[in-house]
Amino acid sequence: MRLLPLFLSAILTVALVIVLNMQLPVGNSKTPRLGYFLSPQQGFWQNAESVATSFDGTVKVQGLQGKAEVFFDDRLVPHIYAASDKDAYYIQGYLHAKFRLWQMEFQTRVASGRLSEILPGKDKLEYDKFMRRFGMVYGAEHSLAAMEADTTTKAAMDAYTAGVNAYISQLKDNELPFEYKLLDYRPEPWTNLKTALFLKLMSLDLAGGGNNDLLATNTKNFFGFDKYKKLFPEAVDSLSPIVPSGTLFKMPAVNPAAPKDLDSAYIGKTTAFNTIAPVNPDPNNGSNNWTVAGSRTQSGRPILCNDPHLGLNLPSLWYEVQITTPTHSVYGASFPGTPAVIIGFNDSCAWGVTNSERDVKDYYEIKFRDSTMQQYWAEGEWKNSSFRDEIIKIKDQPDNIEHIAVTGYGLVMYDDHYKATDSTGKCYAVRWKATDSSNELLTFCKLDKAHNHADYLDAISTFECPGQNFAFATKSGDIAICQQGKFVAKWNRQGEFVMPADSGYRWQGYIPNAENPQLYNPAEGYVSSANQMAVDSTYPYYLGSANNFPPYRGWIINHKLAAMHGITIKDMEAMQTDNEDVFAEMARPVLLKLLDQGRLTEAEKKYLDFYIAWNLRDDIGEQGPTIFNAWWDNLKQQTWGDEYAQSRLPLQAPVNSTLLESLLRDGNFVLADNINTKDTVETMKDNVLIAFQKAVKQLAILEKEGKLAWGAYKDTHISHFTKLEVLGRTHLPIGGGTFAINATRSDHGPSWRMIVQLTDTTEAYAVYPGGQSGNPGSKYYDSFVDKWVQGNYYPLLFITKEAALHNSRIKWHLTFTNA
Ligand SMILES: *C1O[C@H](CO)[C@@H](O)[C@H](O)[C@H]1NC(C)=O
Ligand SMILES: *[C@@H]1O[C@H](CO)[C@@H](O)[C@H](O)[C@H]1NC(C)=O
Ligand SMILES: *[C@@H]1O[C@H](CO)[C@@H](O)[C@H](O)[C@H]1NC(C)=O
Ligand SMILES: *[C@@H]1O[C@H](CO)[C@@H](O)[C@H](O)[C@H]1NC(C)=O
Ligand SMILES: *[C@@H]1O[C@H](CO)[C@@H](O)[C@H](O)[C@H]1NC(C)=O
Ligand SMILES: CC(=O)N[C@H]1CO[C@H](CO)[C@@H](O)[C@@H]1O
């Protein structure tokens, strides 16, 4: 019952959070039943789990093909031994529900725009509308059809759903997860559609790249296309791509033609758009992964490393599991909400996944004939639209109906009823690849069973959206990487801005899988990806503006790997938690060159000295990263804040690499002048000085507050979904940063660190910032956090059933039999 004091303080906070964040009406009958929440028999007290809780037992269920055994190890990782794949997925569903039910359900509620049912409030309704109009449910329905048309994935989902529901049906009121009691609702039955919705939520989160069409359109209109191109270039100088420069690419199979009216109808056209999509995935939802071949390792066998960087939440996005059936045996990270292992290894191979950041959604301007939206103008004629009504149920209130027009250019997301923009009556449709039918689950079901490179290629071949980099290695010594997805073959800058609904602007075709960026046993002896552009500019297809692809982590990983030999697991651990800040390293010489040090006061010089003395690592106790961040942020503001302040509409800002590379080229930047000073023309020298002086003022305050050291300044935390502070872990003492391989920011970072060495006996290590249980009253709620904070790993136990019976790390035994 270690969490009792925590819960006492939680009660006070709960009331506040409900009032402040959840905006429930206060003091009337609609507040949650606090009496129920506090009741000793039913309420949250029942969720506290004793440290000595046993997970032994026998569960009677229906529909298993055979008896199944689950052995939990000392970290509460289940090792599932089942008579068939179906049984294993059934038990995986049961265990996901047993340990993570609220999270699974809540995430699919978010995905399907159903928050208002449990949490009324204008902000929740806005969120729900966004999800519906963006096509989350529409897309999930299409994917579900594809997943159910395939016998493998249909069987996996059916079994998984039955397993989740078996748990829900056995759940007693007093055992309901804490969050249900807090928010006063009950779980509903799981469905295959919910699994599809969960996967769509991942597509949305990982579709960070190219998500700024509306902002980019405003920005292009505000500056004009010529200046826009300088602010948002197509290439970066410091790129170290996944496929090495100099690789010869084949002639492209698809040659998209740019429309003839490009200048008048697209690039030069101005359309004001003042809405920003309320849900913008973090552009840093990225990751690192790399694989080194036996030629570079001490063991002579490949090592694969993966750490997907995502938002840090408790409970974690991941749930660790081993699944063993007569057809396969696999270990790794799974998604509560989805059957199979997503990132992991088996006896033959290991794989990891990172985000491709490619642009998979585009917006079209739609002109309707009248307000009924029944006909829209496209390709020189009036075309009929169809409709989709999305009914949003609101707790204790009448339903809200979103009447959404469906066009040949996608769902009409923005119209007169939703964030209407200008008086011209124009509407905007969104064409999102994830709303097409595709079967991403099949990829993971097949990877779990893969033995060799051919199996891997077959497994990933059906993966369409969101594009991912799949890193791969086998015991036989193969290494590979592929940026896989069904990517649209685009003409230059297609889909960067809102497009007219006309044939030349449609998606004209897809890049064949064989032409996706990929490597198989390259001479370099390693493959890696870290969200950078996958290829250089000789690749025959347009990838999207360089804005979407941060180059720095990829640069440092490739440079380090190229210099390493005799690599061991310890080397890889050290590299995954490496804090070298390569962006700061590239920036320091040019910043110091541009800074007129003669004009600094003594007080300012003090901070400059700290900065010069900095070892260029984002280590926890360093002051340099804080000084650099403050300086750089002020520099951006000083450089373009004046121009951006003049816009009535929201704009998109250039990325760090664009400014830095411009400085490195000629010490200049296109927006250097301060347009508010009419008589003088400022240069970047002026901006660098003013920015430093402004930064020092902020730094002096930080220093007084004791926050000059990087760890204190960055203040990493892991929040519970409800943002209840007592349920999260705050003020974590860790280093790392956006540009370091150790990409830990304040609320974002490596979500599953895994290292697998493919020796005869697989050696695998991993850690994630969470714990196996979603119950805040359990000791396993956050049991891995400290290890993760220290940058350490757990050795993973991948064992046969016979070995499990005698292994000292196995603590509990749960048997499943048919009732
Ligand atoms: C590999 O890197 C890509 C980004 O290039 C990222 O999307 C993916 O999650 C990474 N995979 C691993 C296993 O870290
Ligand atoms: C991606 O980033 C957003 C914004 O930071 C965050 O809310 C979301 O949880 C991230 N996605 C995942 C899967 O962590
Ligand atoms: C469009 O709808 C109108 C009436 O709603 C109908 O008369 C017409 O045949 C439809 N056109 C097409 C191409 O379906
Ligand atoms: C740009 O650089 C600043 C450091 O000054 C950093 O805080 C920010 O996260 C960077 N932006 C991106 C998108 O990486
Ligand atoms: C890297 O990040 C981890 C947290 O994930 C942190 O514990 C560790 O201290 C960092 N490494 C270094 C060298 O700071
Ligand atoms: C630890 C474990 O379960 N190993 C199994 C991995 O899969 C192979 C078959 O592909 C089995 O032979 C191993 O026993």
Side-chain angles (χ1 to χ4, degrees), residues 322 324 329 347 451 798-800:
Q322 175 184 332
T324 299
S329 188
D347 241 22
H451 293 293
F798 182 46
I799 48 172
T800 60

Side-chain angles (χ1 to χ4, degrees), residues 52 159 182 223 308-309 363 386 390 416 462 466 527-528 627 631 671 688 723 726 730 792:
L182 174 63
F223 287 109
H309 306 154
Y363 288 82
S386 58
E390 290 270 355
D416 283 352
T462 55
V527 299
S528 92
I627 298 170
W631 189 2
L671 302 180
V688 162
K723 307 288 177 222
V726 285
T730 52
N792 291 329

Side-chain angles (χ1 to χ4, degrees), residues 739-760:
F739 306 106
I741 302 176
N742 201 12
T744 321
R745 303 202 323 263
S746 66
D747 58 353
H748 199 277
S751 64
W752 165 253
R753 284 196 170 121
M754 178 181 87
I755 297 177
V756 184
Q757 171 153 268
L758 291 141
T759 29
D760 284 345

Side-chain angles (χ1 to χ4, degrees), residues 542-653:
Y542 179 63
L543 289 184
S545 112
N547 235 39
N548 302 332
F549 308 96
Y552 298 105
R553 276 179 292 110
W555 193 94
I556 185 91
I557 291 170
N558 285 340
H559 278 71
K560 279 184 186 288
L561 290 176
M564 290 169 91
H565 295 281
I567 297 172
T568 61
I569 291 197
K570 282 276 162 258
D571 295 332
M572 296 288 88
E573 290 184 1
M575 189 161 143
Q576 270 190 341
T577 56
D578 191 279
N579 280 344
E580 182 173 346
D581 187 331
V582 63
F583 176 67
E585 202 171 308
M586 291 183 186
R588 187 156 73 182
V590 67
L591 285 181
L592 290 178
K593 195 171 117 198
L594 290 170
L595 180 69
D596 186 349
Q597 299 187 25
R599 293 172 61 187
L600 299 182
T601 64
E602 280 311 307
E604 287 161 353
K605 280 218 180 80
K606 179 183 96 179
Y607 292 100
L608 186 68
D609 289 342
F610 285 154
Y611 173 69
I612 292 172
W614 175 31
N615 63 5
L616 292 169
R617 298 173 54 82
D618 293 338
D619 289 336
I620 179 166
E622 289 292 328
Q623 303 176 331
T626 312
I627 298 170
F628 172 60
N629 258 268
W631 189 2
W632 187 257
D633 286 348
N634 277 290
L635 181 61
K636 291 193 283 192
Q637 181 60 27
Q638 194 59 33
T639 304
W640 58 68
D642 46 335
E643 284 87 358
Y644 279 63
Q646 306 251 310
S647 171
R648 168 179 76 76
L649 301 171
L651 302 180
Q652 184 181 19

Side-chain angles (χ1 to χ4, degrees), residues 181-343:
K181 297 177 182 174
L182 174 63
L183 302 173
D184 194 16
Y185 71 108
R186 289 194 60 88
E188 53 182 40
W190 193 258
T191 59
N192 290 354
L193 179 64
K194 289 187 187 235
T195 294
L197 281 164
F198 177 81
L199 291 169
K200 278 308 148 205
L201 189 63
M202 289 298 101
S203 302
L204 177 67
D205 272 339
L206 295 173
N211 200 36
N212 296 315
D213 303 26
L214 312 178
L215 292 182
T217 307
N218 289 344
T219 314
K220 182 249 314 171
N221 293 340
F222 182 77
F223 287 109
F225 187 58
D226 284 339
K227 206 174 249 178
Y228 176 91
K229 277 192 293 190
K230 297 203 172 91
L231 300 175
F232 302 93
E234 277 167 46
V236 278
D237 303 340
S238 45
L239 176 69
S240 175
I242 298 174
V243 176
S245 296
T247 302
L248 293 179
F249 295 104
K250 286 195 300 195
M251 292 293 285
V254 184
N255 290 287
K260 295 207 168 53
D261 62 356
L262 196 65
D263 286 339
S264 59
Y266 184 61
I267 282 172
K269 177 146 191 268
T270 59
T271 287
F273 195 93
N274 61 16
T275 302
I276 318 174
V279 182
N280 258 323
D282 194 301
N284 289 299
N285 277 357
S287 323
N288 311 313
N289 46 55
W290 61 82
T291 302
V292 287
S295 60
R296 282 187 181 267
T297 66
Q298 197 178 68
S299 68
R301 290 288 184 77
I303 303 180
L304 179 130
C305 308
N306 190 197
D307 58 317
H309 306 154
L310 296 167
L312 301 177
N313 280 321
L314 279 170
S316 161
L317 186 67
W318 302 108
Y319 180 79
E320 211 172 314
V321 67
Q322 175 184 332
I323 292 174
T324 299
T325 75
T327 70
H328 71 297
S329 188
V330 61
Y331 190 108
S334 68
F335 283 141
T338 312
V341 165
I342 305 294
I343 294 176

Side-chain angles (χ1 to χ4, degrees), residues 243-557:
V243 176
S245 296
T247 302
L248 293 179
F249 295 104
K250 286 195 300 195
M251 292 293 285
V254 184
N255 290 287
K260 295 207 168 53
D261 62 356
L262 196 65
D263 286 339
S264 59
Y266 184 61
I267 282 172
K269 177 146 191 268
T270 59
T271 287
F273 195 93
N274 61 16
T275 302
I276 318 174
V279 182
N280 258 323
D282 194 301
N284 289 299
N285 277 357
S287 323
N288 311 313
N289 46 55
W290 61 82
T291 302
V292 287
S295 60
R296 282 187 181 267
T297 66
Q298 197 178 68
S299 68
R301 290 288 184 77
I303 303 180
L304 179 130
C305 308
N306 190 197
D307 58 317
H309 306 154
L310 296 167
L312 301 177
N313 280 321
L314 279 170
S316 161
L317 186 67
W318 302 108
Y319 180 79
E320 211 172 314
V321 67
Q322 175 184 332
I323 292 174
T324 299
T325 75
T327 70
H328 71 297
S329 188
V330 61
Y331 190 108
S334 68
F335 283 141
T338 312
V341 165
I342 305 294
I343 294 176
F345 59 91
N346 60 32
D347 241 22
S348 315
C349 62
W351 65 95
V353 194
T354 64
N355 205 5
S356 73
E357 311 284 344
R358 300 269 289 267
D359 184 4
V360 293
K361 44 174 132 57
D362 288 335
Y363 288 82
Y364 291 90
E365 185 179 314
I366 304 289
K367 188 174 183 325
F368 285 108
R369 193 164 198 169
D370 55 41
S371 61
T372 66
M373 302 194 290
Q374 279 168 350
Q375 293 196 311
Y376 63 99
W377 185 256
E379 294 146 38
E381 59 178 12
W382 291 108
K383 294 190 184 283
N384 288 350
S385 25
S386 58
F387 288 92
R388 179 179 168 91
D389 281 347
E390 290 270 355
I391 299 165
I392 303 175
K393 295 195 187 306
I394 307 175
K395 192 178 182 185
D396 301 324
Q397 280 173 44
D399 294 349
N400 173 92
I401 298 174
E402 294 299 309
H403 186 58
I404 306 170
V406 184
T407 70
Y409 294 83
L411 294 185
V412 174
M413 175 146 184
Y414 299 104
D415 60 21
D416 283 352
H417 308 283
Y418 182 68
K419 298 187 188 287
T421 53
D422 42 30
S423 52
T424 57
K426 285 189 195 107
C427 302
Y428 300 88
V430 59
R431 177 77 183 90
W432 183 26
K433 186 73 195 73
T435 56
D436 297 352
S437 65
S438 61
N439 187 353
E440 279 68 38
L441 181 58
L442 186 60
T443 294
F444 299 109
C445 289
K446 285 183 172 176
L447 275 175
D448 288 4
K449 299 179 184 177
H451 293 293
N452 53 40
H453 185 248
D455 294 343
Y456 151 85
L457 286 182
D458 173 56
I460 66 173
S461 67
T462 55
F463 196 95
E464 296 193 359
C465 185
Q468 296 289 301
N469 301 306
F470 288 90
F472 181 73
T474 67
K475 282 198 178 166
S476 58
D478 284 342
I479 63 168
I481 195 162
C482 180
Q483 183 161 95
Q484 173 59 28
K486 192 163 174 184
F487 297 116
V488 183
K490 292 184 172 183
W491 37 265
N492 202 273
R493 302 266 178 191
Q494 181 176 5
E496 194 157 332
F497 314 123
V498 176
M499 295 187 281
D502 209 350
S503 51
Y505 295 86
R506 276 180 175 282
W507 290 353
Q508 296 175 19
Y510 295 100
I511 302 172
N513 279 352
E515 291 185 62
N516 278 338
Q518 55 200 297
L519 292 173
Y520 177 45
N521 292 336
E524 287 78 8
Y526 61 85
V527 299
S528 92
S529 68
N531 318 115
Q532 77 270 44
M533 259 185 182
V535 283
D536 69 11
S537 54
T538 62
Y539 185 62
Y541 296 99
Y542 179 63
L543 289 184
S545 112
N547 235 39
N548 302 332
F549 308 96
Y552 298 105
R553 276 179 292 110
W555 193 94
I556 185 91
I557 291 170

